[in-house]
Amino acid sequence: MSLVNITIQDAGMLTLVVDAGRSLAMQEVGFCVSGAADIRSYHLVNWLCGNPRHNAVFEVIGSFGMQVSEPCIVATGGPEFTLTVNGQPASPWQAMALASGDILELCPARLGTRSYIGIAGQWALPLVAESQSIVMREGAGGLNNDGQPIRRHDQISIQTNDKPSRQLRSLLPQAIPDYSLGTALQMIPGYQYASFEGWQQQLFFSSEYEVTNQIDRMGYRLKGQPIVCDTRTMRSEGINFGAIQLPPDGQPIVMLSDRQTLGGYPKLGCVAEYDIYRLAQAVPGDKVSFAPVDIDNARAQWLLRHRLDQQLFEGESQ
Amino acid sequence: MEAFGNITRIEPAGIDGLIVYFEHDTLSQTNQAVQAMKRALKHSNPVWLNALIPGYDSLLVLFNLQHADVHTVYQALRHAKPTGQSQHKSEHYTLPVWYQAASADDFDAISQHTGLTASQIIEHHTSQDFHVFTVGFAPGFAYMGELPEVLSCPRLTTPRTRVPKGAVAIADRQTAVYPSDSPGGWHLLGLCPTALFDLTWQQPVKLQPGDTVRFYAIDEQQYKALCNEPG
């Protein structure tokens, strides 16, 4: 075992530590699930580093820079960005061996997308509900376990494995996520769907919605054709990942990783889990639309995706 | 999916969720049916169960997609025997409130809505035991009710970006104490010095569904003294 110190030189607009999220059962007493907003890119970057499936990584909006004190393995991923190591161009979606003192810098092509930076090893950060994710709203996680994001000059220690070095992993081009919003996000109708009139349901699926600037890890507010629901009196109920809420103004809000556990707005259904990453990488001004998928069909697609991931993740054993 | 018993509707809630809606004569009985189903499923502890999130009149069942589909979950609901008593012994708490504390005082707005005087508002808020229906929104945020109809107030048109820790609040026929600083859209009555949530506790959340709470009025000096007490 050896210890690597990571010094943050540029924390961009927002740098958080995230992992696969907290124990789902902790929602029962009000803890949000948290975890990476784009769970797809997260798992790939984490795998490239050779980390276990629930390891911490950086989730960054805007630019990012760090210096490492000792040799270590890092990998990056997300929508298009420029990447350099000591000023020399480097490639995303592949593990790299950094040397003592190396500086990694990253700058996204479109402001607002989330980039993931993984480092092989165990991060010395507190656990809350079985997760190292920083949840700003709850004041939990992070260097002082107070929910503060990672800042410039912060230092994080990572315990690396000194196992004999295995081959550095890289992702085949066809395995790189497609973030484009050209096809509709698949959505499973549910919750109060039946309380919306048929023509309102149709209007929702035939309309295009713009991503507003009121977006964060809690939820994405969209703007477009208002959808009206007759249900006015509703009691607060459990909110699942990707739930599409319709507040009285009829403008959809899609609930993401840091969503509150309960809420009282009517909901049309949920974006299918395997499509949420595309929305989580959308930036203000992007257009999205939705298409209904039945719950059995959605599960079949999830299982297919899951099997392909298993082949990727387990195909190369150490 | 066909409803049965006091379940009125079962709907998909995402790729890995089903939400089950209950109805009974009163909200308390409905909520007891929700909690009883939660206990029954938790007790049988199927391998596919990820989480059970109770609302007032609903239970969100989250399952592992590799081990189950909605039909598996539906069968489990049908075969569940939600009769047993809670393992958790219901607790009764008395919580002090410094009403009209400067940082948490919406008495003017509440008076305008309800026509009640300040002392009537306090009287209504302290003269009955409230039932904890569910815990959620934020860690340890306990939804309690039901307030007397005369004290019912709508939510704020524009939510506040920050409500102080310990703020005692009302909305519709519900009341709650904000366990930590948070955004919030409820009308505020005052401040409660009792800690309700602490990550370092073995059970980080104090109030649990089924518990009962009675509020009582204290003044500023008592509030400050209680804030300084350990635990």
Side-chain angles (χ1 to χ4, degrees), chain A residues 24 27-31 137-138 188 190-192 235-238 240 260-262 270 274 295-296 298-299 302 306, chain B residues 9 11-16 21 27 42 51-53 56 58 60 62 65-66 68 70-71 135-140:
Chain A
L24 291 174
Q27 289 176 96
E28 294 167 16
V29 286
F31 287 81
R137 182 166 58 86
E138 288 176 10
I188 301 135
Y191 284 107
Q192 286 75 35
R235 300 188 186 282
S236 291
E237 61 184 27
N240 201 0
Q260 72 271 27
T261 60
L262 297 177
C270 293
Y274 50 78
I295 193 166
D296 290 321
R299 178 170 179 266
W302 185 93
H306 186 74
Chain B
R9 272 192 314 131
E11 301 286 349
I15 203 167
D16 61 347
Y21 296 94
L27 182 56
K42 194 148 239 187
L52 292 161
I53 307 172
Y56 277 81
S58 65
L60 173 57
L62 299 181
L65 285 166
Q66 289 179 80
V70 285
H71 311 287
V135 178
F137 172 67

Side-chain angles (χ1 to χ4, degrees), chain A residues 240-254:
Chain A
N240 201 0
F241 196 27
I244 304 172
Q245 293 192 332
L246 272 305
D249 66 7
Q251 301 292 333
I253 305 173
V254 184

Side-chain angles (χ1 to χ4, degrees), chain A residues 6 20-21 69 74 80-81 89 118 120 132 137 148 157 161 167 188 201 204 271 287-288 304:
Chain A
I6 307 295
S69 69
V74 304
E80 188 185 351
F81 52 73
Q132 293 183 316
R137 182 166 58 86
Q148 289 300 311
S157 306
N161 284 326
Q167 189 154 11
I188 301 135
Q201 298 169 356
F204 176 70
V271 177
K287 303 284 201 318
V288 296
L304 179 64

Side-chain angles (χ1 to χ4, degrees), chain A residues 221 247-249 265, chain B residues 106 109 112-113 153-161 170-171 184-187:
Chain A
R221 260 177 207 271
D249 66 7
Y265 290 132
Chain B
D106 288 331
Q112 271 187 4
H113 272 294
C153 263
R155 286 172 177 75
L156 302 177
T157 333
T158 311
R160 289 183 174 88
T161 51
I170 57 173
W186 294 20
H187 283 96

Side-chain angles (χ1 to χ4, degrees), chain B residues 11 16-17 20 31 52 70-71 74 78 89 129 156 169 209 215-216 219:
Chain B
E11 301 286 349
D16 61 347
V20 188
N31 188 254
L52 292 161
V70 285
H71 311 287
Y74 180 76
R78 283 227 78 131
K89 196 177 159 299
D129 290 348
L156 302 177
F215 294 102
Y216 67 97
D219 62 24

Side-chain angles (χ1 to χ4, degrees), chain A residues 139-188:
Chain A
L143 282 165
N144 303 309
N145 205 6
D146 58 2
Q148 289 300 311
I150 300 297
R151 297 211 164 87
R152 192 169 173 222
H153 302 315
D154 278 353
Q155 290 207 342
I156 295 168
S157 306
I158 297 178
Q159 195 99 60
T160 60
N161 284 326
D162 283 339
K163 273 196 221 146
S165 63
R166 74 178 108 76
Q167 189 154 11
L168 294 174
R169 289 171 173 174
S170 63
L171 216 54
L172 293 170
Q174 61 267 31
I176 294 174
D178 175 6
Y179 300 100
S180 74
L181 294 163
T183 55
L185 301 171
Q186 292 195 354
M187 176 271 217
I188 301 135

